[in-house]
Amino acid sequence: MSLLTHMLACLFGIGSWVAINGMWVELPLIVPEIPEGWYLPSYLTVIIQLANIGPLFITLMHRFRPGVLDERPVIYTIVVLGILATFLLAFLWKHTLFVGTAEHSVALLSLSFLLSVVDCTSSVTFLPFMMRLQPQYLTTYFVGEGLSGLIPALVALIQGVGVVQCKNATITTNLSMVNYTGATSNELQAHYQPANFSVQVFFLFLSSMMAVCLSAFVMLNYLPAVAQEHKCEKYLDDAKHEETADVSLSLQNRPAEQTPMLEHPEDQANKPHSTFGKGTYNRAEVVFIFVVLAWVNALTNAVLPSVQSYSCLPYGNQTYHLATAMAAVANPVACFIAMFFPIRSLMMMGVLTVTGTGFGAYIMGMAAMSPCPLLVYHELGAALMVITWVIFVLTLSYVKVIIGVILRDEGHSALVWCGAVVQLGSMLGAMSMFPLVSVYGLFKSGDPCNTKCPI
């Protein structure tokens, strides 16, 4: 194994979702400056789902035109597009235009759509490209993908995003209708501290991270020291063979007597039969793997992130930032664990999925009880929330990496479908949470300085 190749694979993985993750952590500074206000997260949710047109096109090309589409030109295109979009955002994010009679941040929303296309399409192009390298580098890629959420979060912490102080404020209330001239009361008012550096600098940082991803990709392709890690000819032959087999799946459904008997009958009977990948898993197991993959990504990419503020902020701003940072750290840690303990048992995968889902249910329950969740005024409540977020992300991130490793062994086509199911799960999760959060308002946020809950 080459340390240089591991570093390049990690840097390449960072570029997969760093742009959109960066957009989310920067929202507290963007929202006060634009006409959409706090409706922007809802708009972003819809925009990201519309951007799944990119993965859909790639998946359909692999399905109906096997061997025609090479992912490398697509990767060059989307990474360069990501560099340009984040660079333009640095200068245009506050610019508005009138659409009809209302003012909207057209530049911000349009460039956010381009970034969403970049990141969503990376799921079905970056993973198949990693087939060109030795298997051990796929786990390193997942480490980089985890860092794509951690790095923007740490930079945002340094920037001072969302740091709030509660200060006394005197409020005068008019009570003339009941023959009072007025009354004054003292209550705390939230004051957000100015950031240590601007939104423009943050977007330029994201643009530089995408440039680093592009440089790593170029070196993975052309650097002589990395060339020995490639297995291009075998990769291309296998990819074309597997994708051609996908188009001919119907031929494999013929009666048994029409299929050439290349093995002894008892060997055929005992061998797991599947038309997916190399046939290692039977149909039920393949369905189980993809259902778990969709479920895990729905929870980690859409369902729980959409209520993170509701679950954490009642325990204090410090709890929210600590949970966000520690959860972001848990993702690459899970990838490191998978690198040394690559358990491939489907039973263990199911156990971990149920465990992570249980911790996710606790988070969802506390979010539903916001602004007065359990143990809201106790340090134990804050500690439990941080620990729950860490275990939730740790277990389900480990499951995602193990599924990626399993599907990598099934070939190029399996990784394409892996990326497609990742996006499908994320889309279904976002579509289910959008009306609950943004339309029906089932989750309530409290005033960080004045919310009173029964003890």
Side-chain angles (χ1 to χ4, degrees), residues 240-251:
K240 290 180 180 179
H241 173 74
E242 290 161 7
E243 291 182 342
T244 302
D246 284 343
V247 177
S248 305
L249 290 181
S250 60
L251 297 178

Side-chain angles (χ1 to χ4, degrees), residues 174-190:
N174 188 358
L175 301 175
S176 58
M177 293 182 63
V178 287
N179 298 323
Y180 288 96
T181 58
T184 60
S185 62
N186 292 325
E187 73 174 39
L188 297 175
Q189 193 172 51

Side-chain angles (χ1 to χ4, degrees), residues 54-378:
L56 177 62
F57 172 75
I58 300 296
T59 305
L60 292 177
M61 284 292 292
H62 279 288
R63 178 65 179 86
F64 296 107
R65 297 295 300 275
V68 172
L69 186 64
D70 183 357
E71 63 268 1
R72 286 179 297 181
V74 179
I75 293 175
Y76 279 119
T77 301
I78 63 174
V79 175
V80 170
L81 182 61
I83 295 172
L84 294 176
T86 47
F87 182 80
L88 291 175
L89 269 174
F91 301 96
L92 301 176
W93 69 274
K94 282 202 294 187
H95 287 240
T96 59
L97 291 174
F98 278 92
V99 179
T101 58
E103 190 178 15
H104 289 286
S105 305
V106 176
L108 176 64
L109 296 176
S110 300
L111 292 171
S112 296
F113 174 74
L114 293 180
L115 289 179
S116 300
V117 171
V118 170
D119 289 2
C120 291
T121 307
S122 72
S123 296
V124 291
T125 53
F126 284 23
L127 276 175
F129 169 77
M130 293 304 297
M131 278 286 294
R132 297 176 181 269
L133 301 174
Q134 300 298 328
Q136 59 268 24
Y137 298 114
L138 180 63
T139 307
T140 309
Y141 166 83
F142 279 118
V143 172
E145 193 175 79
L147 291 175
S148 71
L150 174 61
I151 292 175
L154 293 179
V155 174
L157 285 176
I158 296 172
Q159 187 183 16
V161 171
V163 177
V164 65
Q165 285 185 335
C166 297
K167 297 181 179 180
N168 287 322
T170 301
I171 298 177
T172 302
T173 305
N174 188 358
L175 301 175
S176 58
M177 293 182 63
V178 287
N179 298 323
Y180 288 96
T181 58
T184 60
S185 62
N186 292 325
E187 73 174 39
L188 297 175
Q189 193 172 51
H191 290 269
Y192 290 89
Q193 295 182 351
N196 295 322
F197 53 87
S198 66
V199 176
Q200 182 183 70
V201 173
F202 185 83
F203 280 132
L204 290 175
F205 164 75
L206 294 182
S207 184
S208 67
M209 292 303 300
M210 293 300 297
V212 168
C213 171
L214 178 61
S215 301
F217 180 62
V218 171
M219 287 188 280
L220 283 173
N221 279 285
Y222 299 109
L223 198 66
V226 183
Q228 59 183 353
E229 304 289 347
H230 283 221
K231 48 176 187 174
C232 293
E233 292 183 6
K234 183 178 184 301
Y235 163 85
L236 293 174
D237 291 341
D238 288 348
K240 290 180 180 179
H241 173 74
E242 290 161 7
E243 291 182 342
T244 302
D246 284 343
V247 177
S248 305
L249 290 181
S250 60
L251 297 178
Q252 301 187 28
N253 294 326
R254 295 178 299 177
E257 64 270 17
Q258 298 181 22
T259 305
M261 301 296 291
L262 300 179
E263 300 176 292
H264 295 293
E266 59 269 21
D267 293 338
Q268 275 195 324
N270 295 329
K271 182 180 179 180
H273 176 70
S274 173
T275 57
F276 178 80
K278 297 178 180 178
T280 308
Y281 300 94
N282 59 41
R283 286 192 179 93
E285 290 170 335
V286 171
V287 170
F288 172 75
I289 290 171
F290 279 119
V291 167
V292 169
L293 182 63
W295 174 256
V296 166
N297 279 279
L299 293 182
T300 57
N301 296 345
V303 176
L304 272 302
S306 66
V307 298
Q308 186 170 37
S309 60
Y310 300 103
S311 67
C312 297
L313 281 177
Y315 297 101
N317 196 65
Q318 184 177 4
T319 301
Y320 172 73
H321 285 290
L322 186 59
T324 303
M326 294 301 293
V329 171
N331 194 320
V333 167
C335 299
F336 275 114
I337 295 174
M339 185 181 298
F340 298 102
F341 301 98
I343 301 173
R344 305 192 185 199
S345 166
L346 298 188
M347 179 66 71
M348 180 60 69
M349 183 191 304
V351 170
L352 290 175
T353 301
V354 172
T355 302
T357 302
F359 283 98
Y362 176 81
I363 294 171
M364 183 64 72
M366 296 304 101
M369 296 174 67
S370 175
C372 296
L374 299 177
L375 302 173
V376 65
Y377 294 126
H378 298 272

